[in-house]
Amino acid sequence: MVDGPMPRGLLGVGDPDVHRIDGRWTLFLGGFSTGFRNRLYRARLSDDGSLATGPWIVDHDGKNRVTALTADPPRDGWDAAGMHTPSYVPASGRHGPRIYYTGRATSKHYGPKSRYSIGVLEYRDGSWHRRNEPVLQGEAPRASVLEPFVIHTDGRYRMWYQANPHEIGPGEQPDYELRCVDSEDGLTDWSPPRVFADSSEGFFDNALARGRDGWVMVLARGSNLHGVRDFPGQGLWWITAPHPSADRGDWSEPRRLLDTDVSDTPNWCARGTYGPALAFADPESMHATVYVTGTRAAPRWPQLFLQRLARFRRPPVPAPFYLATGTLEVDLT
């Protein structure tokens, strides 16, 4: 958001979700448009690109402006205030491809008045169609559910997601709980939620993929969006299991993959990372590319504006925080 590059029509992107679809690497993203809307987008790796460095080509129209995956929700929709954190699931049996996502119903992005639920887009007749109702909603005391990651396994849809009282605002400490549920059709009759990681671990979201030796999951703590003092340590962790189990006891102990609190952390992610995605270019290797959303270490906009002008750089659009999407190359051995 600060240094670019940014495709025409977008102010920022995050929430990467990477898959190989029809022989081509595809990246689904949440984006903040120049029309000040949170929408979902698709990018595809160029023919001569690499998973680590791209370039990624975002879908665009004849005027080279980015195009969203689907139309904005109606003004009275449960997700009218925006859509983000896509999670793609390939077709399975009689069910076509889907993208699960977080939808916001409130004008508030964070704080006690914010509220999120989880919905789905279904691919039919060459385009993505939004369902009119969420597939999962929160209940007090954790009234918001967000950050879905969904796979189809053992004949059922399995969803990991975060449940919280509300998205934290300035001065607040995180209160995140990762849960896991199953459903036969991926739309209704979800199983009672299992707690996969309680609030003491502080994990905000996760992603998983099949590697050479089984399944690998990357776990991220929520980044320090508002620069709160004494915030828990940030970064990424990884765990492994023979199968993509909903039971945390089947997974290994977490090992740290990235510590964003160390002094040499790049500025673009110095307040932490979240929204991970995981890809193995070679399924017979444990060399992986990890995609993340990073929160930039930056002062409030007036000070950032003056700093940029002093360096003859264009200032970014005013925002409470600044995000970027980046990659890490890692050997998970």
Side-chain angles (χ1 to χ4, degrees):
M1 292 179 69
V2 175
D3 296 315
M6 192 61 60
R8 187 181 179 198
L10 282 175
L11 297 175
V13 294
D15 310 323
D17 181 49
V18 64
H19 299 269
R20 193 168 180 84
I21 302 174
D22 297 331
R24 188 171 183 182
W25 286 105
T26 301
L27 189 64
F28 296 101
L29 297 157
F32 190 51
S33 74
T34 51
F36 303 105
R37 297 283 300 182
N38 286 115
R39 295 171 173 144
L40 302 178
Y41 298 90
R42 181 185 71 170
R44 289 185 286 183
L45 188 63
S46 68
D47 292 337
D48 59 350
S50 74
L51 277 174
T53 60
W56 293 91
I57 303 169
V58 183
D59 290 349
H60 55 277
D61 61 19
K63 296 181 180 180
N64 206 34
R65 291 185 62 87
V66 296
T67 55
L69 280 179
T70 190
D72 291 336
R75 291 181 180 273
D76 60 350
W78 64 271
D79 50 358
M83 311 161 77
H84 61 95
T85 57
S87 177
Y88 172 83
V89 184
S92 181
R94 59 189 176 87
H95 302 303
R98 294 175 176 172
I99 295 176
Y100 293 81
Y101 67 93
T102 302
R104 178 166 53 91
T106 58
S107 60
K108 296 290 186 181
H109 289 75
Y110 48 78
K113 294 184 178 180
S114 65
R115 180 72 178 267
Y116 295 85
S117 299
I118 293 171
V120 68
L121 303 179
E122 297 174 296
Y123 194 74
R124 300 190 304 271
D125 303 322
S127 60
W128 292 101
H129 298 265
R130 168 190 169 274
R131 292 181 67 88
N132 290 329
E133 300 296 330
V135 296
L136 198 68
Q137 300 183 75
E139 296 179 352
R142 295 186 177 273
S144 274
V145 292
L146 58 162
E147 307 296 316
F149 190 90
V150 186
I151 63 171
H152 192 270
T153 180
D154 296 330
R156 299 176 67 82
Y157 288 85
R158 178 162 295 159
M159 179 193 297
W160 286 263
Y161 66 96
Q162 185 212 132
N164 64 34
H166 59 263
E167 182 62 305
I168 61 170
E172 293 185 296
Q173 293 290 329
D175 184 5
Y176 307 136
E177 186 175 277
L178 280 187
R179 296 177 174 180
C180 191
V181 292
D182 285 358
S183 166
E184 185 174 347
D185 66 5
L187 303 172
T188 60
D189 296 325
W190 294 95
S191 63
R194 297 188 185 191
V195 176
F196 193 80
D198 64 27
S199 58
S200 68
E201 291 187 274
F203 293 130
F204 183 81
D205 53 8
N206 68 315
L208 60 153
R210 190 196 301 269
R212 181 192 63 201
D213 302 324
W215 286 80
V216 178
M217 179 182 292
V218 175
L219 295 151
R221 288 187 175 173
S223 64
N224 190 0
L225 293 176
H226 308 287
V228 177
R229 294 176 61 88
D230 301 320
F231 208 73
Q234 298 300 292
L236 301 173
W237 285 256
W238 66 291
I239 56 179
T240 59
H243 307 285
S245 175
D247 186 347
R248 178 65 180 275
D250 293 334
W251 294 81
S252 64
E253 289 297 312
R255 286 180 278 179
R256 193 140 192 182
L257 184 64
L258 174 69
D259 182 352
T260 57
D261 295 314
V262 297
S263 59
D264 61 348
T265 299
N267 201 41
W268 68 269
C269 62
R271 283 192 186 169
T273 57
Y274 65 95
L278 179 64
F280 292 93
D282 178 0
E284 296 304 315
S285 168
M286 290 299 284
H287 184 83
T289 305
V290 180
Y291 298 76
V292 292
T293 304
T295 302
R296 186 183 180 90
R300 296 294 181 184
W301 186 78
Q303 185 178 349
L304 182 60
F305 174 85
L306 294 174
Q307 288 180 355
R308 300 284 289 185
L309 285 185
R311 298 188 180 100
F312 302 101
R313 302 289 297 277
R314 182 177 180 178
V317 171
F321 43 81
Y322 294 93
L323 306 178
T325 302
T327 60
L328 300 83
E329 290 287 289
V330 293
D331 287 303
L332 299 174
T333 56

